[in-house]
mmCIF file of all heavy atoms in Angstrom:
data_model
loop_
_atom_site.group_PDB
_atom_site.id
_atom_site.type_symbol
_atom_site.label_atom_id
_atom_site.label_comp_id
_atom_site.label_asym_id
_atom_site.label_seq_id
_atom_site.Cartn_x
_atom_site.Cartn_y
_atom_site.Cartn_z
ATOM 1 N N ALA A 304 43.389 149.718 89.949
ATOM 2 C CA ALA A 304 42.237 148.931 89.433
ATOM 3 C C ALA A 304 42.496 148.487 87.992
ATOM 4 O O ALA A 304 42.177 147.357 87.636
ATOM 5 C CB ALA A 304 40.957 149.757 89.546
ATOM 6 N N ILE A 305 43.047 149.368 87.194
ATOM 7 C CA ILE A 305 43.350 148.991 85.801
ATOM 8 C C ILE A 305 44.354 147.851 85.770
ATOM 9 O O ILE A 305 44.197 146.832 85.085
ATOM 10 C CB ILE A 305 43.862 150.207 84.995
ATOM 11 C CG1 ILE A 305 42.689 151.180 84.784
ATOM 12 C CG2 ILE A 305 44.490 149.777 83.660
ATOM 13 C CD1 ILE A 305 43.091 152.526 84.169
ATOM 14 N N HIS A 306 45.400 147.990 86.598
ATOM 15 C CA HIS A 306 46.428 146.935 86.665
ATOM 16 C C HIS A 306 45.829 145.596 87.083
ATOM 17 O O HIS A 306 46.063 144.541 86.419
ATOM 18 C CB HIS A 306 47.535 147.347 87.636
ATOM 19 C CG HIS A 306 48.524 146.266 87.878
ATOM 20 N ND1 HIS A 306 49.360 145.786 86.869
ATOM 21 C CD2 HIS A 306 48.833 145.562 88.990
ATOM 22 C CE1 HIS A 306 50.119 144.838 87.368
ATOM 23 N NE2 HIS A 306 49.828 144.660 88.647
ATOM 24 N N GLU A 307 45.011 145.615 88.109
ATOM 25 C CA GLU A 307 44.413 144.385 88.617
ATOM 26 C C GLU A 307 43.481 143.754 87.604
ATOM 27 O O GLU A 307 43.469 142.539 87.383
ATOM 28 C CB GLU A 307 43.663 144.677 89.915
ATOM 29 C CG GLU A 307 43.143 143.492 90.659
ATOM 30 C CD GLU A 307 42.512 143.892 91.973
ATOM 31 O OE1 GLU A 307 42.972 144.873 92.644
ATOM 32 O OE2 GLU A 307 41.527 143.252 92.370
ATOM 33 N N SER A 308 42.756 144.613 86.873
ATOM 34 C CA SER A 308 41.838 144.081 85.856
ATOM 35 C C SER A 308 42.618 143.405 84.714
ATOM 36 O O SER A 308 42.258 142.339 84.243
ATOM 37 C CB SER A 308 40.891 145.168 85.316
ATOM 38 O OG SER A 308 41.596 146.099 84.525
ATOM 39 N N LEU A 309 43.725 143.993 84.325
ATOM 40 C CA LEU A 309 44.521 143.421 83.240
ATOM 41 C C LEU A 309 45.202 142.129 83.655
ATOM 42 O O LEU A 309 45.257 141.154 82.878
ATOM 43 C CB LEU A 309 45.520 144.429 82.692
ATOM 44 C CG LEU A 309 44.885 145.688 82.050
ATOM 45 C CD1 LEU A 309 45.957 146.676 81.622
ATOM 46 C CD2 LEU A 309 44.003 145.306 80.858
ATOM 47 N N LEU A 310 45.672 142.098 84.890
ATOM 48 C CA LEU A 310 46.216 140.851 85.438
ATOM 49 C C LEU A 310 45.183 139.740 85.385
ATOM 50 O O LEU A 310 45.478 138.594 85.049
ATOM 51 C CB LEU A 310 46.623 141.048 86.912
ATOM 52 C CG LEU A 310 48.087 141.260 87.237
ATOM 53 C CD1 LEU A 310 48.221 141.346 88.744
ATOM 54 C CD2 LEU A 310 48.993 140.201 86.685
ATOM 55 N N ALA A 311 43.939 140.084 85.755
ATOM 56 C CA ALA A 311 42.876 139.079 85.782
ATOM 57 C C ALA A 311 42.646 138.476 84.377
ATOM 58 O O ALA A 311 42.451 137.267 84.237
ATOM 59 C CB ALA A 311 41.605 139.713 86.319
ATOM 60 N N PHE A 312 42.719 139.341 83.368
ATOM 61 C CA PHE A 312 42.593 138.827 81.999
ATOM 62 C C PHE A 312 43.691 137.846 81.660
ATOM 63 O O PHE A 312 43.468 136.791 81.074
ATOM 64 C CB PHE A 312 42.648 139.980 80.989
ATOM 65 C CG PHE A 312 41.364 140.743 80.846
ATOM 66 C CD1 PHE A 312 41.234 142.021 81.370
ATOM 67 C CD2 PHE A 312 40.297 140.216 80.151
ATOM 68 C CE1 PHE A 312 40.055 142.720 81.231
ATOM 69 C CE2 PHE A 312 39.118 140.927 79.991
ATOM 70 C CZ PHE A 312 38.985 142.193 80.553
ATOM 71 N N LYS A 313 44.908 138.229 82.020
ATOM 72 C CA LYS A 313 46.051 137.340 81.698
ATOM 73 C C LYS A 313 45.962 136.034 82.480
ATOM 74 O O LYS A 313 46.225 134.966 81.965
ATOM 75 C CB LYS A 313 47.363 138.079 82.042
ATOM 76 C CG LYS A 313 47.729 139.219 81.155
ATOM 77 C CD LYS A 313 47.930 138.802 79.697
ATOM 78 C CE LYS A 313 49.177 137.956 79.533
ATOM 79 N NZ LYS A 313 49.341 137.528 78.133
ATOM 80 N N ARG A 314 45.549 136.163 83.754
ATOM 81 C CA ARG A 314 45.437 134.960 84.603
ATOM 82 C C ARG A 314 44.396 133.985 84.047
ATOM 83 O O ARG A 314 44.576 132.763 84.054
ATOM 84 C CB ARG A 314 45.055 135.412 86.008
ATOM 85 C CG ARG A 314 45.250 134.379 87.097
ATOM 86 C CD ARG A 314 44.768 134.937 88.434
ATOM 87 N NE ARG A 314 43.356 135.214 88.372
ATOM 88 C CZ ARG A 314 42.786 136.373 88.715
ATOM 89 N NH1 ARG A 314 43.503 137.380 89.173
ATOM 90 N NH2 ARG A 314 41.484 136.528 88.596
ATOM 91 N N ALA A 315 43.322 134.556 83.465
ATOM 92 C CA ALA A 315 42.254 133.724 82.908
ATOM 93 C C ALA A 315 42.668 133.117 81.554
ATOM 94 O O ALA A 315 41.972 132.251 81.054
ATOM 95 C CB ALA A 315 40.986 134.550 82.755
ATOM 96 N N GLY A 316 43.780 133.590 80.986
ATOM 97 C CA GLY A 316 44.286 132.930 79.768
ATOM 98 C C GLY A 316 44.354 133.789 78.535
ATOM 99 O O GLY A 316 44.628 133.270 77.450
ATOM 100 N N ALA A 317 44.083 135.078 78.658
ATOM 101 C CA ALA A 317 44.096 135.948 77.472
ATOM 102 C C ALA A 317 45.506 136.080 76.919
ATOM 103 O O ALA A 317 46.448 136.316 77.684
ATOM 104 C CB ALA A 317 43.552 137.328 77.800
ATOM 105 N N ALA A 318 45.640 135.950 75.600
ATOM 106 C CA ALA A 318 46.952 136.226 74.973
ATOM 107 C C ALA A 318 47.167 137.725 74.926
ATOM 108 O O ALA A 318 48.296 138.211 75.041
ATOM 109 C CB ALA A 318 46.965 135.644 73.561
ATOM 110 N N ALA A 319 46.104 138.472 74.742
ATOM 111 C CA ALA A 319 46.171 139.946 74.704
ATOM 112 C C ALA A 319 44.810 140.506 75.047
ATOM 113 O O ALA A 319 43.797 139.772 74.998
ATOM 114 C CB ALA A 319 46.612 140.425 73.321
ATOM 115 N N VAL A 320 44.818 141.757 75.403
ATOM 116 C CA VAL A 320 43.562 142.417 75.846
ATOM 117 C C VAL A 320 43.340 143.715 75.068
ATOM 118 O O VAL A 320 44.244 144.552 75.005
ATOM 119 C CB VAL A 320 43.604 142.744 77.377
ATOM 120 C CG1 VAL A 320 42.240 143.264 77.823
ATOM 121 C CG2 VAL A 320 44.031 141.527 78.181
ATOM 122 N N PHE A 321 42.197 143.842 74.470
ATOM 123 C CA PHE A 321 41.779 145.125 73.954
ATOM 124 C C PHE A 321 41.316 145.973 75.128
ATOM 125 O O PHE A 321 40.410 145.541 75.844
ATOM 126 C CB PHE A 321 40.569 144.986 72.989
ATOM 127 C CG PHE A 321 40.885 144.489 71.601
ATOM 128 C CD1 PHE A 321 41.760 143.443 71.374
ATOM 129 C CD2 PHE A 321 40.242 145.067 70.508
ATOM 130 C CE1 PHE A 321 41.999 142.988 70.073
ATOM 131 C CE2 PHE A 321 40.482 144.648 69.203
ATOM 132 C CZ PHE A 321 41.358 143.589 68.986
#
Side-chain angles (χ1 to χ4, degrees):
I305 290 171
H306 173 64
E307 189 175 325
S308 71
L309 295 176
L310 259 183
F312 280 107
K313 290 297 293 179
R314 196 183 62 232
V320 186
F321 281 43

